[in-house]
Amino acid sequence: MTVVKRNKRAKPDPELLKLADSLLANYQKPEDLIGENGLLKQLTKMLVERALETEMTDHLGHDKSGEVTNGTGNTRNGHSTKTLKGDFGALPLDVPRDRQGTFEPQIVVKNQTRWAGFDDKIISLYARGLSVREIQSHLEEMYGAEVSPTLISNVTDAVSEDVKLWQARPLDAVYPILYLDCIRVKVRDNGAVRTKAVYLAIGVNMEGHKEVLGLWISQTEGAKFWLQVVTELKNRGVQDIFIACVDGLKGFPDAIEAVYPQAAVQLCIVHMVRNSLNFVPWKAQKEVAADLKQIYSAATADEAELRLTEFENK
């Protein structure tokens, strides 16, 4: 008989439990914990400031009351005030200083004004199509953080620069498989929401991993624009692709072969199935699609031939 031992749940430190009990002694409502002046905010302030003091001790080599042992005679020189914005609103901190100005804190670096993750919220709201004014109102309502339009613009502009660098990065010389497709999404453009086509290129590299090679936005999908896409891929270093997997857009294969004449152009499975179902009554489409999947998901060519024969007979 096999005996299965259950892992024992780790018990919290008794001292931490005592501390938590003492901190929560006056707890009555959720605002006491997570409000503007709640316990979590106060605890965060205390922990960060203690960490900063520890970093200063490590930097100088002695604590506040300790003997100066560093060779330069550097010592503490009071504190400066810094305010960080985050999920809990604005958090004022006392940051220790040294006389020689050589202290470089790590937990809150110089010139940092927001907690890590706060920029992500701005980008997330921006990506959902919210205007600068709407983002500003949302952050103030949800987190009590007054964020200027300039800050929001700086954050989104910084990401835009990163996107440009990513879009122009050099690519591998060979991608055995290249998927080219277009999706339509709603985007905010000059204050209005419009539907635009996003051209997507996904390559399978020599290690077998998928890699997004680029994204391009246009009003409509067309073979002429796809020609520009594959030309850009060539200019960014892609010398050869073996198989280009595309939809049934007219002129698409010609656009690819103009840049990669040796590539095999193959209609993607999803579009092949959709085209096949055009010849099937609506009530039978679900069953036919399931039978087709048995063919293209077969592990070997022989198994696929067998499933194809079964499909034909059925």
Side-chain angles (χ1 to χ4, degrees):
M1 180 179 66
T2 302
V3 178
V4 179
K5 294 183 178 180
R6 297 180 61 185
N7 293 328
K8 293 183 179 180
R9 187 172 60 181
K11 294 182 178 180
D13 189 322
E15 293 300 322
L16 289 178
L17 288 176
K18 290 181 182 179
L19 176 61
D21 290 338
S22 63
L23 291 172
L24 293 171
N26 298 320
Y27 173 78
Q28 294 180 344
K29 56 186 183 299
E31 289 77 10
D32 295 335
L33 186 64
I34 59 176
E36 176 63 22
N37 297 307
L39 178 60
L40 286 179
K41 184 173 181 179
Q42 297 178 48
L43 188 59
T44 300
K45 173 180 171 64
M46 181 187 71
L47 290 174
V48 172
E49 289 180 346
R50 290 289 293 272
L52 288 168
E53 293 293 347
T54 301
E55 288 186 15
M56 177 62 82
T57 297
D58 182 69
H59 173 68
L60 297 176
H62 64 272
D63 57 24
K64 287 184 178 180
S65 57
E67 180 183 354
V68 178
T69 57
N70 60 74
T72 61
N74 196 11
T75 60
R76 283 173 167 79
N77 187 31
H79 296 79
S80 60
T81 301
K82 175 189 287 283
T83 300
L84 292 183
K85 294 183 175 68
D87 295 354
F88 35 64
L91 180 70
L93 294 172
D94 291 329
V95 181
R97 298 179 304 188
D98 63 329
R99 293 194 178 279
Q100 297 178 0
T102 56
F103 177 51
E104 297 283 350
Q106 299 299 311
I107 190 170
V108 180
V109 299
K110 287 185 177 180
N111 301 319
Q112 180 179 343
T113 59
R114 302 179 299 279
W115 287 109
F118 198 65
D119 286 2
D120 294 341
K121 290 180 172 59
I122 294 177
I123 297 303
S124 175
L125 295 171
Y126 184 76
R128 295 185 183 203
L130 271 67
S131 66
V132 171
R133 186 180 298 276
E134 290 169 335
I135 294 173
Q136 186 181 19
S137 300
H138 178 81
L139 293 175
E140 184 173 0
E141 179 181 347
M142 294 299 296
Y143 305 113
E146 296 183 4
V147 181
S148 68
T150 301
L151 170 62
I152 296 173
S153 297
N154 289 341
V155 171
T156 54
D157 289 347
V159 172
S160 297
E161 289 301 316
D162 289 340
V163 170
K164 291 177 182 178
L165 292 173
W166 175 83
Q167 184 73 17
R169 75 194 190 282
L171 300 173
D172 294 348
V174 177
Y175 287 92
I177 302 174
L178 178 66
Y179 296 95
L180 298 170
D181 203 359
C182 176
I183 59 175
R184 286 173 173 79
V185 297
K186 293 185 181 298
V187 298
R188 183 180 293 274
D189 184 13
N190 294 325
V193 177
R194 298 183 174 88
T195 299
K196 291 192 176 184
V198 178
Y199 294 74
L200 180 65
I202 298 178
V204 178
N205 60 30
M206 296 296 289
E207 287 73 41
H209 299 144
K210 287 183 178 179
E211 178 184 343
V212 178
L213 306 185
L215 296 166
W216 300 263
I217 297 180
S218 179
Q219 288 294 136
T220 58
E221 182 182 12
K224 185 177 181 180
F225 192 88
W226 276 120
L227 177 60
Q228 298 178 26
V229 168
V230 291
T231 301
E232 179 179 322
L233 295 179
K234 185 71 173 287
N235 293 336
R236 289 168 58 195
V238 182
Q239 298 302 310
D240 196 13
I241 56 176
F242 300 161
I243 299 174
C245 201
V246 302
D247 61 16
L249 180 68
K250 186 177 180 180
F252 208 159
D254 295 336
I256 296 171
E257 291 171 1
V259 181
Y260 298 105
Q262 302 299 319
V265 180
Q266 173 180 304
L267 190 65
C268 83
I269 290 174
V270 172
H271 289 91
M272 291 175 68
V273 171
R274 288 176 182 171
N275 291 345
S276 300
L277 295 181
N278 289 334
F279 302 93
V280 179
W282 180 82
K283 291 184 178 181
Q285 286 187 359
K286 186 174 181 179
E287 182 181 4
V288 171
D291 290 341
L292 287 173
K293 185 175 181 179
Q294 296 295 322
I295 301 171
Y296 63 77
S297 63
T300 65
D302 291 339
E303 182 184 351
E305 288 283 357
L306 177 61
R307 300 300 176 216
L308 180 60
T309 301
E310 292 174 350
F311 180 84
E312 183 181 8
N313 293 335
K314 184 176 181 180

